Amino acid sequence: MKKTCVVFGSSMGNTEEVANLIASKLGISDVFNVSDINASQLNEYEALIVGSSTWGSGDLQDDWDSFDFDALEVGGKTVALFGLGDSAGYSDSFCDALGILHEKFTQKGANIIGQVDTGDYNFDNSRAVIDGKFTGLALDMDNESDKTNSRVEAWVKIISPLLD
């Protein structure tokens, strides 16, 4: 497997829980809260798995505010994204943070993997949807926590061979 880490922004603990679940299923030991790592440290990895919860009306989790995306060097690197949102309370901005991460990492030249079909989700709009697919794994721990494990399992099967 490529030298890979999982990095997340989490306020309530759900995104951290998912980050650790993904890392466990992939056998990755390097898991970081974005507030505890900087771009130059992330640049040392060959592949990244990056996640954030969505806050307010579609914002990245607050810890990402101080992250220096300009210093990120991910051109040609493999990046898988995951995001958490509330499909009932914020149906018109569901997992928008996932879409924001996609924009930031594609602008830096990352090779984004792990797109997920939207068919199994109930929401009205999301910045994270491109051509009918989420730009990564979308999860709703508030309303569909019963689907989290199976969604993570299916997603890990998609991205795992691409991390080799």
Side-chain angles (χ1 to χ4, degrees):
M1 177 182 273
K2 295 176 182 173
K3 183 179 177 187
T4 305
C5 75
V6 179
V7 62
F8 65 90
S10 183
S11 294
M12 304 301 288
N14 287 337
T15 309
E16 180 176 8
E17 181 181 332
V18 170
N20 285 315
L21 178 63
I22 292 167
S24 172
K25 291 187 181 300
L26 289 168
I28 296 170
S29 57
D30 293 352
V31 181
F32 305 102
N33 187 310
V34 69
S35 64
D36 298 330
I37 195 164
N38 62 44
S40 64
Q41 291 168 302
L42 287 182
N43 292 339
E44 297 175 14
Y45 289 89
E46 299 171 287
L48 304 172
I49 300 171
V50 182
S52 177
S53 52
T54 301
W55 283 91
S57 296
D59 298 321
L60 277 174
Q61 188 271 343
D62 291 346
D63 291 337
W64 286 100
D65 291 346
S66 59
F67 186 78
D68 184 5
F69 283 99
D70 291 335
L72 200 56
E73 297 172 3
V74 293
K77 291 185 181 182
T78 300
V79 175
L81 304 170
F82 68 98
L84 278 72
D86 178 346
S87 63
Y90 295 93
S91 184
D92 57 350
S93 59
F94 178 61
C95 287
D96 274 4
L98 176 59
I100 295 168
L101 288 174
H102 179 265
E103 291 164 14
K104 292 189 178 290
F105 280 87
T106 55
Q107 287 170 357
K108 300 299 287 183
N111 175 31
I112 306 294
I113 63 168
Q115 292 76 11
V116 174
D117 188 73
T118 61
D120 187 36
Y121 295 83
N122 293 312
F123 66 100
D124 292 321
N125 192 39
S126 178
R127 242 173 118 166
V129 175
I130 298 175
D131 297 329
K133 291 190 175 204
F134 285 109
T135 58
L137 176 62
L139 298 169
D140 183 346
M141 294 285 280
D142 296 317
N143 305 292
E144 297 182 337
S145 60
D146 58 314
K147 296 182 179 183
T148 297
N149 202 39
S150 62
R151 286 177 173 166
V152 169
E153 291 262 350
W155 189 65
V156 163
K157 287 179 184 174
I158 293 168
I159 68 168
S160 183
L162 302 171
L163 297 172
D164 285 335

